[in-house]
């Protein structure tokens, strides 16, 4: 079975917000659906804007046409729509009109079965007329009453019609696999993406599930690996080069962090020592005083830890350079730092059950710094045998 397409319902009335959401999620969805409220409010100009911005994406205009099928749908196909919807309850003449307009523009017509009493008979009749897609759709009001599209989806899929089957109605991460297994060709997702703290991350995760990458193995491992991947995917590509230059310019390097971030500092300090840098962990009894020309690297998700603020102020007083690795775009330490390396984006750090109290930041930072060490090894040609000669032999 071919991989189902992912369709994102763009339901906001705000033109700019709709375009922004499309841009954020474009790498992970196949079809942009201009929802009925959105197309009513913004009109055909939104179709043209999306077509110009995303020439390689399918665009569905959810007209929910009820009458004058060909007349109503034709302008939207002409503006760049790949798919327009017509209500199954509109009757065969109206359905036939939308199909005619679609064929005239080399496009497709979708029959929406929302509120159709006999969905199976309507689907058969639409397929005979030449419909391209049948939409199994549980509307918002029906969802609020506890209804789901899954039983109807299975019934339609069993017919074996020469159409693609689209399913919409409260689909989220927890139900994606059920929809795929039920035989859907197009999976429509709305609030699970646009209502998420990070729509891009939500869309990426749903795509991963549809692709089958989120099902194998331990689900908790997949969750953690997926979240770290999403953070690093949104982290600036030039950070390794930027930090490498600061490391190489520094006379000595000092690293500091509190709690679990402090443990990440120790990981990093050891590898820097193995790579030939003069490095110290702040707080150790043998750590020397910091001076002008040195580099202080602070790891702090908030950038507001009082002890680390004091260290930063002292480093500034003596003329040392300061780098903050953080999860926040603005902070007290960040305001004093010479460089701020932001891990991912702030809106990616919403509450995740199972990854409590800074875990996302700590693991993402550890992965980032391990990758930086790999960058150093490759850029400088540091042999592992050379690194081993620097490893402690009093253990």
């Amino acid at each position: 079975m071919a991989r189902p397409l992912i369709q994102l319902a763009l339901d906001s009335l705000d033109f700019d917000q709709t375009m922004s959401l499309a841009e954020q999620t474009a790498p992970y969805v196949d079809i942009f659906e201009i929802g009925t409220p959105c197309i009513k409010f913004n009109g055909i100009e939104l179709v043209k804007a999306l077509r110009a911005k995303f020439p390689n994406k399918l665009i569905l205009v959810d007209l929910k046409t009820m009458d004058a099928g060909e007349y109503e749908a034709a302008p939207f196909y002409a503006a760049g729509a790949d798919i327009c919807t017509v209500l199954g309850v509109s009757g065969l003449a109206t359905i036939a009109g939308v199909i005619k307009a679609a064929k005239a523009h080399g496009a497709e017509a979708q029959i929406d079965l929302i509120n159709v009493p006999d969905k199976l008979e309507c689907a058969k009749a639409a397929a005979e007329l030449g419909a391209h897609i049948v939409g199994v759709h549980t509307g918002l009001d029906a969802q609020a009453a506890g209804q789901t599209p899954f039983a109807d989806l299975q019934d339609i899929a069993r017919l074996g019609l020469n159409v693609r089957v689209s399913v919409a109605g409260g689909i989220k991460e927890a139900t994606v696999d059920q929809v795929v297994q039920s035989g859907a060709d197009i999976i429509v997702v709305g609030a699970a993406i646009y209502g998420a703290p990070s729509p891009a991350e939500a869309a990426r995760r749903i795509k991963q599930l549809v692709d089958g990458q989120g099902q194998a193995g331990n689900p908790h491992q997949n969750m953690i690996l997926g979240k770290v991947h999403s953070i690093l995917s949104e982290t600036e590509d030039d950070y390794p080069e930027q930090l490498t230059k600061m490391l190489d310019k520094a006379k000595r390097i000092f690293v500091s962090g509190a709690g679990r971030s402090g443990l990440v500092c120790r990981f990093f300090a050891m590898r820097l020592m193995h790579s030939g840098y003069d490095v110290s962990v702040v707080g150790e009894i043998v750590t020397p005083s910091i001076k002008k020309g040195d580099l202080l690297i602070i790891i702090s998700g908030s950038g507001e830890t009082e002890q680390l603020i004091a260290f930063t102020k002292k480093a500034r007083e003596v003329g040392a350079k300061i780098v903050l690795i953080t999860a926040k775009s603005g902070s007290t330490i960040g305001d004093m730092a010479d460089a701020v390396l932001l891990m991912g984006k702030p809106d990616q750090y919403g509450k995740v059950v199972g990854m409590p109290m800074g875990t996302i930041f700590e693991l993402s930072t550890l992965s980032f710094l391990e990758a930086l060490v790999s960058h150093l090894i490759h850029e400088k040609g540091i042999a592992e045998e050379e690194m081993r000669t620097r490893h402690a032999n009093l253990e």
Side-chain angles (χ1 to χ4, degrees), residues 114-132:
I114 189 170
N115 295 331
V116 172
D118 192 336
K119 292 178 171 54
L120 300 186
E121 286 304 314
C122 183
K124 291 176 186 177
E128 290 176 3
L129 285 173
H132 307 86

Side-chain angles (χ1 to χ4, degrees), residues 144-377:
Q147 296 181 32
T148 70
F150 303 122
D152 291 334
L153 169 61
Q154 290 176 332
D155 290 341
I156 296 294
R158 289 192 194 102
L159 294 176
L161 302 173
N162 187 29
V163 296
R164 289 185 289 169
V165 180
S166 168
V167 61
I171 296 170
K172 51 191 175 184
E173 284 190 32
T175 57
V176 165
D177 187 55
Q178 181 181 357
V179 176
V180 173
Q181 297 304 319
S182 297
D185 300 293
I186 301 171
I187 299 173
V188 184
V189 186
I193 291 178
Y194 65 67
S198 171
E201 163 60 11
R204 185 201 66 80
R205 179 62 181 160
I206 286 173
K207 181 179 186 300
Q208 185 182 48
L209 291 169
V210 171
D211 289 345
Q213 298 172 17
Q215 301 303 312
N218 185 296
H220 303 293
Q221 292 176 3
N222 290 334
M223 174 186 69
I224 290 171
L225 292 173
K227 191 62 181 178
V228 171
H229 178 269
S230 72
I231 295 292
L232 297 181
S233 296
E234 295 293 335
T235 300
E236 295 293 336
D237 292 336
D238 67 348
Y239 282 172
E241 193 68 35
Q242 183 180 345
L243 186 51
T244 298
K245 289 179 180 178
M246 297 187 77
L247 290 170
D248 290 342
K249 288 181 179 179
K251 294 178 181 178
R252 297 173 303 169
I253 299 159
F254 294 76
V255 297
S256 185
R260 283 163 49 109
S261 292
L263 298 178
V264 175
C265 282
R266 291 172 179 269
F267 272 79
F268 186 44
M270 175 178 276
R271 285 291 183 252
L272 287 179
M273 179 271 290
H274 289 155
S275 301
Y277 291 92
D278 185 347
V279 58
S280 298
V281 177
V282 176
E284 297 291 335
I285 196 168
V286 295
T287 300
S289 59
I290 193 168
K291 297 179 180 179
K292 184 176 181 178
D294 293 336
L295 174 66
L296 173 62
I297 299 174
I298 297 282
I299 299 178
S300 173
S302 67
E304 299 293 347
T305 305
E306 289 187 13
Q307 184 183 41
L308 301 180
I309 291 174
F311 294 162
T312 305
K313 288 180 178 178
K314 186 62 179 180
R316 276 180 62 87
E317 287 176 9
V318 302
K321 295 292 185 181
I322 302 158
V323 172
L324 171 65
I325 301 176
T326 186
K328 287 185 64 177
S329 55
S331 66
T332 301
I333 296 176
D335 290 343
M336 293 188 284
D338 296 281
V340 176
L341 308 186
L342 184 62
M343 296 295 100
K345 295 180 179 179
D347 64 7
Q348 292 181 286
Y349 288 95
K351 181 179 179 180
V352 176
V353 176
M355 298 185 73
M357 300 179 293
T359 294
I360 297 170
F361 171 71
E362 294 148 6
L363 293 183
S364 299
T365 300
L366 177 60
S367 299
F368 168 79
L369 293 174
E370 286 295 311
L372 174 69
V373 171
S374 180
H375 169 78
L376 293 173
I377 290 171

